[in-house]
Coordinates of all heavy atoms in Angstrom, one line a residue:
M1 N 103.9 100.1 -116.3 CA 104.8 100.3 -115.1 C 104.2 99.2 -114.1 O 103.1 99.0 -113.9 CB 104.7 101.6 -114.5 CG 105.5 101.8 -113.3 SD 105.3 103.3 -112.5 CE 104.6 102.8 -110.8
T2 N 105.2 98.3 -113.6 CA 104.8 97.5 -112.4 C 105.3 98.0 -111.0 O 106.2 98.8 -111.0 CB 105.3 96.1 -112.7 OG1 106.7 96.2 -112.8 CG2 104.8 95.6 -114.1
V3 N 104.6 97.5 -110.3 CA 104.9 97.8 -108.8 C 105.4 96.5 -108.1 O 104.8 95.5 -108.2 CB 103.7 98.5 -108.0 CG1 104.2 98.8 -106.5 CG2 103.2 99.6 -108.7
K4 N 106.6 96.6 -107.5 CA 107.1 95.4 -106.7 C 106.4 95.6 -105.3 O 106.7 96.5 -104.6 CB 108.6 95.5 -106.6 CG 109.2 94.3 -106.4 CD 110.8 94.2 -106.6 CE 111.1 93.6 -107.9 NZ 112.5 93.1 -108.0
V5 N 105.7 94.5 -105.0 CA 104.9 94.6 -103.7 C 105.5 93.5 -102.8 O 105.7 92.3 -103.1 CB 103.5 94.2 -104.0 CG1 102.7 94.2 -102.7 CG2 102.8 95.2 -104.9
Q6 N 105.9 94.0 -101.6 CA 106.4 92.9 -100.6 C 105.4 92.8 -99.5 O 105.1 93.9 -98.7 CB 107.7 93.5 -100.0 CG 108.2 92.5 -99.0 CD 109.7 92.7 -98.6 OE1 110.6 91.9 -98.7 NE2 110.0 93.9 -98.1
F7 N 105.0 91.6 -99.2 CA 104.0 91.4 -98.2 C 104.8 90.9 -97.0 O 105.8 90.0 -97.0 CB 103.1 90.2 -98.5 CG 102.1 90.6 -99.5 CD1 102.3 90.3 -101.0 CD2 100.9 91.3 -99.2 CE1 101.2 90.8 -101.9 CE2 99.9 91.7 -100.0 CZ 100.1 91.5 -101.4
L8 N 104.6 91.6 -95.9 CA 105.2 91.4 -94.5 C 104.3 90.8 -93.6 O 103.1 91.2 -93.7 CB 105.9 92.7 -94.1 CG 106.9 93.2 -95.0 CD1 107.3 94.7 -94.6 CD2 108.2 92.4 -94.9
P9 N 104.6 90.0 -92.6 CA 106.0 89.6 -92.3 C 106.5 88.3 -93.2 O 107.5 88.0 -92.8 CB 105.9 89.3 -90.8 CG 104.5 88.8 -90.7 CD 103.6 89.5 -91.5
H10 N 105.7 87.9 -94.2 CA 106.1 86.8 -94.9 C 107.3 87.0 -95.8 O 108.0 86.2 -96.1 CB 105.0 86.4 -95.8 CG 103.5 86.5 -95.2 ND1 103.0 87.7 -95.0 CD2 102.7 85.6 -95.0 CE1 101.7 87.5 -94.4 NE2 101.6 86.2 -94.5
S11 N 107.6 88.4 -96.1 CA 108.7 88.6 -97.0 C 108.4 87.9 -98.4 O 109.4 87.4 -98.9 CB 110.0 88.3 -96.6 OG 110.4 89.2 -95.5
I12 N 107.2 87.9 -98.9 CA 107.0 87.5 -100.3 C 106.8 88.6 -101.2 O 105.9 89.6 -100.9 CB 105.6 86.6 -100.2 CG1 105.7 85.4 -99.2 CG2 105.1 86.3 -101.6 CD1 104.5 84.6 -99.2
T13 N 107.5 88.6 -102.2 CA 107.5 89.8 -103.2 C 106.8 89.3 -104.5 O 107.0 88.3 -105.0 CB 108.9 90.3 -103.4 OG1 109.5 90.6 -102.1 CG2 108.8 91.6 -104.2
I14 N 106.0 90.1 -104.9 CA 105.4 89.9 -106.4 C 105.2 91.2 -107.1 O 105.1 92.3 -106.5 CB 104.0 89.3 -106.0 CG1 103.4 88.7 -107.4 CG2 103.0 90.2 -105.4 CD1 102.1 87.9 -107.1
E15 N 105.2 91.0 -108.5 CA 105.0 92.2 -109.4 C 103.5 92.4 -109.5 O 102.8 91.5 -109.7 CB 105.6 92.0 -110.6 CG 107.0 91.7 -110.6 CD 107.9 92.8 -111.1 OE1 107.6 93.4 -112.2 OE2 109.0 93.2 -110.3
A16 N 103.0 93.6 -109.4 CA 101.6 94.0 -109.5 C 101.5 95.2 -110.4 O 102.5 96.0 -110.7 CB 100.9 94.3 -108.2
Q17 N 100.2 95.4 -110.9 CA 100.0 96.6 -111.7 C 99.2 97.6 -110.8 O 98.4 97.2 -110.0 CB 99.1 96.2 -112.8 CG 99.6 95.2 -113.8 CD 100.8 95.7 -114.7 OE1 100.8 96.9 -115.0 NE2 101.8 94.9 -114.9
P18 N 99.6 98.9 -111.0 CA 98.7 99.8 -110.3 C 97.3 99.7 -110.7 O 97.0 99.5 -111.8 CB 99.3 101.2 -110.7 CG 100.7 100.9 -111.3 CD 100.7 99.5 -111.6
G19 N 96.5 99.8 -109.7 CA 95.0 99.6 -110.0 C 94.4 98.3 -109.7 O 93.3 98.0 -109.6
E20 N 95.4 97.2 -109.5 CA 95.0 95.9 -109.0 C 94.6 96.0 -107.5 O 95.1 96.6 -106.8 CB 96.0 94.9 -109.2 CG 96.3 94.3 -110.5 CD 97.2 93.1 -110.5 OE1 98.5 93.5 -110.5 OE2 96.8 91.9 -110.4
L21 N 93.5 95.2 -107.3 CA 93.1 95.1 -105.8 C 94.2 94.6 -105.0 O 94.7 93.4 -105.5 CB 91.9 94.4 -105.7 CG 90.4 95.0 -105.8 CD1 89.4 93.9 -105.7 CD2 90.4 96.0 -104.7
I22 N 94.4 95.0 -103.8 CA 95.5 94.5 -102.9 C 95.3 93.1 -102.6 O 95.9 92.1 -102.6 CB 95.7 95.3 -101.7 CG1 96.3 96.8 -102.1 CG2 96.5 94.7 -100.7 CD1 96.3 97.8 -101.0
L23 N 93.9 92.8 -102.3 CA 93.5 91.5 -101.9 C 93.8 90.5 -103.0 O 94.3 89.3 -102.8 CB 91.9 91.5 -101.6 CG 91.4 90.1 -101.1 CD1 92.0 89.8 -99.8 CD2 89.9 90.4 -100.9
E24 N 93.6 90.8 -104.2 CA 93.8 89.9 -105.4 C 95.3 89.7 -105.6 O 95.7 88.7 -105.9 CB 93.1 90.5 -106.7 CG 91.7 90.3 -106.7 CD 91.0 90.9 -107.9 OE1 91.7 91.5 -108.7 OE2 89.8 90.9 -108.0
V25 N 96.1 90.7 -105.4 CA 97.5 90.5 -105.5 C 98.1 89.6 -104.4 O 98.8 88.8 -104.6 CB 98.1 91.8 -105.3 CG1 99.7 91.8 -105.3 CG2 97.8 92.9 -106.5
A26 N 97.5 89.7 -103.2 CA 97.8 88.9 -102.0 C 97.5 87.5 -102.5 O 98.4 86.5 -102.3 CB 97.1 89.4 -100.8
Q27 N 96.3 87.2 -103.0 CA 95.9 85.8 -103.4 C 96.9 85.3 -104.5 O 97.3 84.2 -104.3 CB 94.6 85.9 -103.8 CG 93.5 85.9 -102.8 CD 92.1 86.2 -103.3 OE1 91.8 86.6 -104.4 NE2 91.0 86.2 -102.2
K28 N 97.2 86.1 -105.4 CA 98.1 85.6 -106.4 C 99.5 85.3 -105.8 O 100.2 84.4 -106.3 CB 98.4 86.8 -107.5 CG 97.6 86.6 -108.6 CD 98.1 87.6 -109.7 CE 97.2 88.7 -110.0 NZ 97.8 89.8 -110.8
A29 N 99.9 86.0 -104.7 CA 101.2 85.8 -104.2 C 101.1 84.6 -103.1 O 102.2 84.3 -102.6 CB 101.6 87.0 -103.4
G30 N 99.9 84.1 -103.0 CA 99.8 83.0 -102.0 C 99.7 83.6 -100.5 O 99.9 82.7 -99.6
V31 N 99.4 84.8 -100.2 CA 99.4 85.4 -98.9 C 97.9 85.5 -98.6 O 97.1 86.0 -99.3 CB 100.0 86.8 -99.0 CG1 99.7 87.5 -97.6 CG2 101.5 86.8 -99.3
F32 N 97.6 84.8 -97.4 CA 96.3 84.7 -97.0 C 95.9 86.0 -96.2 O 96.6 86.4 -95.1 CB 96.0 83.6 -96.0 CG 94.7 83.5 -95.5 CD1 93.6 83.2 -96.2 CD2 94.5 84.0 -94.1 CE1 92.3 83.2 -95.6 CE2 93.3 83.8 -93.5 CZ 92.1 83.5 -94.3
I33 N 94.7 86.7 -96.6 CA 94.2 87.8 -95.8 C 92.8 87.4 -95.5 O 92.1 87.1 -96.4 CB 94.2 89.1 -96.8 CG1 95.7 89.4 -97.1 CG2 93.5 90.3 -96.0 CD1 95.8 90.7 -98.0
P34 N 92.4 87.5 -94.2 CA 91.0 87.1 -93.9 C 90.1 88.2 -94.4 O 90.4 89.3 -94.6 CB 91.1 87.2 -92.4 CG 92.2 88.0 -91.9 CD 93.3 87.8 -93.2
T35 N 88.9 87.7 -94.8 CA 88.0 88.6 -95.4 C 86.6 88.4 -94.8 O 86.3 87.3 -94.3 CB 87.9 88.4 -97.0 OG1 87.5 87.0 -97.3 CG2 89.0 88.9 -97.8
G36 N 85.7 89.3 -95.0 CA 84.4 89.2 -94.5 C 83.4 89.7 -95.6 O 83.1 89.0 -96.5
C37 N 83.2 91.1 -95.5 CA 82.1 91.5 -96.2 C 82.6 91.9 -97.7 O 81.6 92.0 -98.6 CB 81.7 93.0 -95.7 SG 83.1 94.2 -95.7
L38 N 83.8 92.1 -98.0 CA 84.3 92.4 -99.3 C 83.7 93.8 -99.8 O 83.7 93.9 -101.1 CB 84.1 91.3 -100.4 CG 84.7 90.0 -100.0 CD1 84.4 88.9 -101.0 CD2 86.2 90.1 -100.1
M39 N 83.4 94.5 -98.9 CA 82.8 95.8 -99.3 C 83.4 97.0 -98.7 O 82.8 98.1 -98.7 CB 81.3 95.8 -99.1 CG 80.3 95.0 -100.0 SD 78.7 94.8 -99.3 CE 78.4 96.3 -98.5
G40 N 84.4 96.7 -97.8 CA 84.9 97.9 -97.2 C 84.4 98.3 -95.9 O 84.9 99.4 -95.4
S41 N 83.6 97.4 -95.4 CA 82.9 98.0 -94.0 C 83.3 97.2 -92.8 O 83.2 97.6 -91.7 CB 81.4 98.1 -94.1 OG 80.9 96.8 -94.6
C42 N 83.8 95.9 -93.0 CA 84.0 95.2 -91.8 C 85.4 95.2 -91.2 O 85.7 94.8 -90.2 CB 83.5 93.7 -91.9 SG 84.8 92.7 -93.0
H43 N 86.4 95.6 -92.0 CA 87.8 95.7 -91.8 C 88.4 94.4 -91.4 O 89.5 94.5 -90.9 CB 88.0 96.8 -90.6 CG 87.7 98.1 -91.0 ND1 88.7 99.1 -91.2 CD2 86.5 98.7 -91.4 CE1 88.1 100.3 -91.5 NE2 86.8 100.0 -91.7
A44 N 87.8 93.3 -91.8 CA 88.4 92.0 -91.6 C 89.8 91.9 -92.4 O 90.7 91.3 -92.0 CB 87.5 90.8 -91.9
C45 N 89.6 92.5 -93.6 CA 90.8 92.4 -94.6 C 91.9 93.5 -94.3 O 92.7 93.7 -95.3 CB 90.2 92.5 -95.8 SG 89.5 94.1 -96.2
E46 N 91.9 94.2 -93.2 CA 92.8 95.3 -93.2 C 94.3 95.0 -93.2 O 94.6 94.0 -92.5 CB 92.5 96.0 -91.7 CG 92.9 97.4 -91.8 CD 92.2 98.2 -90.6 OE1 92.7 98.2 -89.5 OE2 91.2 98.9 -90.9
V47 N 95.0 95.8 -93.9 CA 96.4 95.6 -94.0 C 97.1 97.0 -93.7 O 96.3 97.9 -93.9 CB 96.9 95.1 -95.4 CG1 96.4 93.5 -95.4 CG2 96.5 95.8 -96.4
E48 N 98.3 97.1 -93.6 CA 99.0 98.3 -93.5 C 99.9 98.5 -94.7 O 100.6 97.7 -95.1 CB 99.9 98.4 -92.3 CG 99.1 99.1 -91.1 CD 100.0 99.1 -89.8 OE1 101.1 99.2 -90.0 OE2 99.4 99.3 -88.7
L49 N 99.5 99.7 -95.4 CA 100.5 100.1 -96.5 C 101.6 101.1 -96.0 O 101.5 102.0 -95.3 CB 99.7 101.1 -97.3 CG 98.6 100.5 -98.4 CD1 98.2 101.4 -99.4 CD2 99.1 99.1 -98.9
G50 N 102.8 100.6 -96.3 CA 103.9 101.4 -96.0 C 104.0 101.5 -94.4 O 104.0 100.5 -93.7
E51 N 104.3 102.7 -94.0 CA 104.4 102.9 -92.6 C 103.0 103.2 -92.0 O 102.7 104.4 -91.9 CB 105.4 104.1 -92.3 CG 106.8 103.9 -92.9 CD 107.6 102.8 -92.1 OE1 107.4 102.9 -90.9 OE2 108.0 102.0 -92.7
G52 N 102.4 102.2 -91.5 CA 101.1 102.4 -90.5 C 100.1 103.1 -91.2 O 99.7 104.2 -90.6
N53 N 99.6 102.8 -92.4 CA 98.6 103.4 -93.0 C 97.6 102.3 -93.3 O 97.5 101.7 -94.3 CB 99.0 104.0 -94.3 CG 97.9 104.7 -95.1 OD1 96.8 105.0 -94.6 ND2 98.0 105.0 -96.4
P54 N 96.7 102.1 -92.4 CA 95.7 100.9 -92.5 C 94.6 101.1 -93.6 O 94.0 102.2 -93.6 CB 95.1 100.8 -91.2 CG 95.3 102.1 -90.5 CD 96.4 102.8 -91.1
V55 N 94.5 100.1 -94.4 CA 93.5 100.2 -95.5 C 92.8 99.0 -95.5 O 93.3 97.8 -95.2 CB 94.1 100.4 -96.9 CG1 94.9 101.9 -96.9 CG2 95.1 99.5 -97.2
C56 N 91.6 98.8 -96.1 CA 90.8 97.5 -96.4 C 91.4 97.1 -97.8 O 91.0 97.6 -98.8 CB 89.3 97.9 -96.3 SG 88.8 98.3 -94.7
S57 N 92.0 95.9 -97.7 CA 92.6 95.4 -98.9 C 91.6 94.9 -100.0 O 91.9 94.8 -101.2 CB 93.4 94.1 -98.6 OG 92.7 93.1 -98.0
C58 N 90.3 94.7 -99.5 CA 89.3 94.3 -100.5 C 88.7 95.5 -101.4 O 88.1 95.2 -102.4 CB 88.0 93.6 -99.7 SG 87.1 94.8 -98.9
I59 N 89.0 96.7 -101.1 CA 88.6 97.8 -101.9 C 89.8 98.6 -102.3 O 89.5 99.6 -103.1 CB 87.5 98.7 -101.2 CG1 88.0 99.0 -99.7 CG2 86.2 98.0 -101.0 CD1 87.1 100.3 -99.2
K60 N 90.8 98.5 -101.7 CA 92.0 99.5 -101.9 C 92.9 98.8 -103.1 O 93.2 97.6 -103.1 CB 92.8 99.6 -100.7 CG 94.0 100.4 -100.8 CD 93.6 102.0 -100.8 CE 94.8 102.8 -100.9 NZ 94.4 104.3 -101.0
V61 N 93.2 99.6 -104.1 CA 94.1 99.1 -105.1 C 95.6 99.5 -105.0 O 95.8 100.5 -104.1 CB 93.6 99.6 -106.5 CG1 92.1 99.2 -106.7 CG2 93.7 101.1 -106.6
I62 N 96.4 98.9 -105.6 CA 97.9 99.3 -105.7 C 97.9 100.7 -106.3 O 97.5 101.0 -107.4 CB 98.6 98.3 -106.6 CG1 98.4 96.8 -106.1 CG2 100.0 98.7 -106.6 CD1 99.1 96.6 -104.8
P63 N 98.5 101.7 -105.4 CA 98.6 102.9 -105.9 C 99.6 103.1 -107.0 O 100.7 102.5 -107.0 CB 99.0 103.8 -104.8 CG 99.5 102.8 -103.7 CD 99.1 101.4 -104.1
A64 N 99.5 104.1 -107.9 CA 100.5 104.4 -108.9 C 101.5 105.3 -108.2 O 101.2 106.0 -107.3 CB 99.8 105.0 -110.1
G65 N 102.6 105.5 -108.8 CA 103.5 106.6 -108.4 C 104.7 106.0 -107.9 O 105.6 106.9 -107.6
S66 N 104.8 104.9 -107.3 CA 106.1 104.3 -106.7 C 106.2 102.9 -107.3 O 105.2 102.2 -107.6 CB 106.0 104.4 -105.3 OG 105.2 103.4 -104.7
D67 N 107.4 102.5 -107.3 CA 107.7 101.2 -108.0 C 107.9 100.1 -106.9 O 108.3 99.0 -107.2 CB 108.9 101.3 -108.9 CG 110.1 101.8 -108.4 OD1 110.2 102.1 -107.1 OD2 111.0 102.1 -109.3
F68 N 107.8 100.6 -105.6 CA 107.9 99.5 -104.5 C 107.0 99.8 -103.4 O 106.7 101.0 -103.1 CB 109.3 99.5 -104.0 CG 109.6 98.4 -103.0 CD1 110.0 97.2 -103.4 CD2 109.6 98.7 -101.5 CE1 110.1 96.1 -102.6 CE2 109.8 97.8 -100.8 CZ 110.1 96.5 -101.2
L69 N 106.3 98.7 -102.9 CA 105.4 99.0 -101.7 C 105.4 97.9 -100.8 O 105.5 96.7 -101.2 CB 103.9 98.9 -102.4 CG 102.8 99.1 -101.6 CD1 102.6 100.5 -101.0 CD2 101.4 98.8 -102.3
N70 N 105.5 98.1 -99.6 CA 105.5 97.3 -98.4 C 104.1 97.1 -98.0 O 103.5 98.2 -97.6 CB 106.4 97.7 -97.3 CG 107.8 97.3 -97.4 OD1 108.1 96.2 -98.0 ND2 108.8 98.1 -97.0
I71 N 103.5 95.9 -97.8 CA 102.2 95.8 -97.2 C 102.3 94.9 -96.1 O 102.8 93.7 -96.2 CB 101.3 95.2 -98.3 CG1 101.1 96.1 -99.5 CG2 99.9 94.9 -97.7 CD1 100.1 95.7 -100.6
Y72 N 101.9 95.4 -95.0 CA 102.0 94.6 -93.8 C 100.7 93.8 -93.4 O 99.6 94.5 -93.3 CB 102.5 95.4 -92.5 CG 102.8 94.5 -91.4 CD1 104.0 94.0 -91.1 CD2 101.8 94.3 -90.4 CE1 104.3 93.1 -90.1 CE2 102.1 93.4 -89.2 CZ 103.4 92.9 -89.2 OH 103.6 92.1 -88.2
V73 N 100.8 92.6 -93.4 CA 99.5 91.8 -93.1 C 99.5 91.4 -91.7 O 100.5 90.8 -91.2 CB 99.5 90.5 -94.0 CG1 98.3 89.6 -93.7 CG2 99.6 90.9 -95.4
Y74 N 98.5 91.8 -91.0 CA 98.4 91.5 -89.5 C 98.4 89.9 -89.4 O 97.6 89.2 -90.1 CB 97.1 92.0 -88.9 CG 97.1 93.4 -89.0 CD1 96.3 94.1 -89.8 CD2 97.9 94.3 -88.2 CE1 96.1 95.6 -89.9 CE2 97.8 95.6 -88.2 CZ 97.0 96.3 -89.0 OH 96.9 97.6 -89.0
S75 N 99.3 89.4 -88.6 CA 99.2 87.9 -88.4 C 98.3 87.5 -87.3 O 97.9 86.4 -87.2 CB 100.7 87.4 -88.1 OG 101.2 88.1 -87.1
D76 N 97.9 88.5 -86.6 CA 97.0 88.1 -85.5 C 96.0 89.2 -85.3 O 95.9 90.1 -84.5 CB 97.9 88.1 -84.1 CG 97.1 87.7 -82.9 OD1 95.9 87.1 -83.1 OD2 97.4 88.0 -81.8
P77 N 94.9 89.0 -86.1 CA 93.8 90.1 -86.1 C 93.1 90.0 -84.8 O 92.8 89.0 -84.3 CB 93.0 89.6 -87.4 CG 93.3 88.2 -87.8 CD 94.7 88.0 -87.2
V78 N 92.9 91.3 -84.4 CA 92.3 91.4 -83.0 C 90.7 91.6 -83.0 O 90.1 91.5 -82.1 CB 92.8 92.5 -82.2 CG1 94.2 92.2 -81.7 CG2 92.9 93.8 -83.1
W79 N 90.2 91.7 -84.3 CA 88.7 92.0 -84.4 C 87.9 90.8 -84.1 O 88.4 89.8 -84.2 CB 88.5 92.6 -85.8 CG 88.5 91.6 -86.8 CD1 89.7 91.1 -87.3 CD2 87.4 90.9 -87.4 NE1 89.5 90.1 -88.2 CE2 88.1 89.9 -88.3 CE3 86.0 90.9 -87.4 CZ2 87.4 89.0 -89.0 CZ3 85.3 90.0 -88.1 CH2 86.0 89.1 -88.9
Ligands
FES101 S1 86.3 92.2 -96.2 FE1 85.1 93.5 -94.9 S2 86.2 95.4 -95.2 FE2 87.2 94.1 -96.6

């Protein structure tokens, strides 16, 4: 099963596999997500899954169970 992932606000859509790191899927799609620690502690890489569910994209994988996922990438990180 593949998941259709749409990165916002870019509106770039790419097919991904459940279990793939969100950060890697973004890189494949050509979407830039700022990173720092790559360990889930600095939150530089934070994105929002669906409706306002912030996660660290360097440690969070594409969830199984739905075939479409919106990921909102902050265009103006405040940290
Ligand atoms: S890069 Fe630091 S939490 Fe992801």
Side-chain angles (χ1 to χ4, degrees):
M1 182 183 121
T2 60
V3 182
K4 206 171 252 199
V5 178
Q6 176 171 240
F7 288 97
L8 298 168
H10 319 67
S11 287
I12 295 173
T13 305
I14 188 172
E15 303 254 312
Q17 302 291 329
E20 275 190 279
L21 270 181
I22 292 173
L23 183 61
E24 284 173 4
V25 175
Q27 283 167 348
K28 262 194 253 173
V31 172
F32 175 73
I33 297 177
T35 55
C37 67
L38 297 177
M39 284 167 35
S41 56
C42 76
H43 290 246
C45 64
E46 202 164 82
V47 297
E48 266 182 24
L49 286 196
E51 296 293 313
N53 180 18
V55 298
C56 292
S57 63
C58 68
I59 53 166
K60 181 76 178 176
V61 299
I62 302 291
S66 72
D67 51 12
F68 187 81
L69 181 67
N70 272 327
I71 299 180
Y72 190 82
V73 180
Y74 300 108
S75 50
D76 183 17
V78 280
W79 67 286

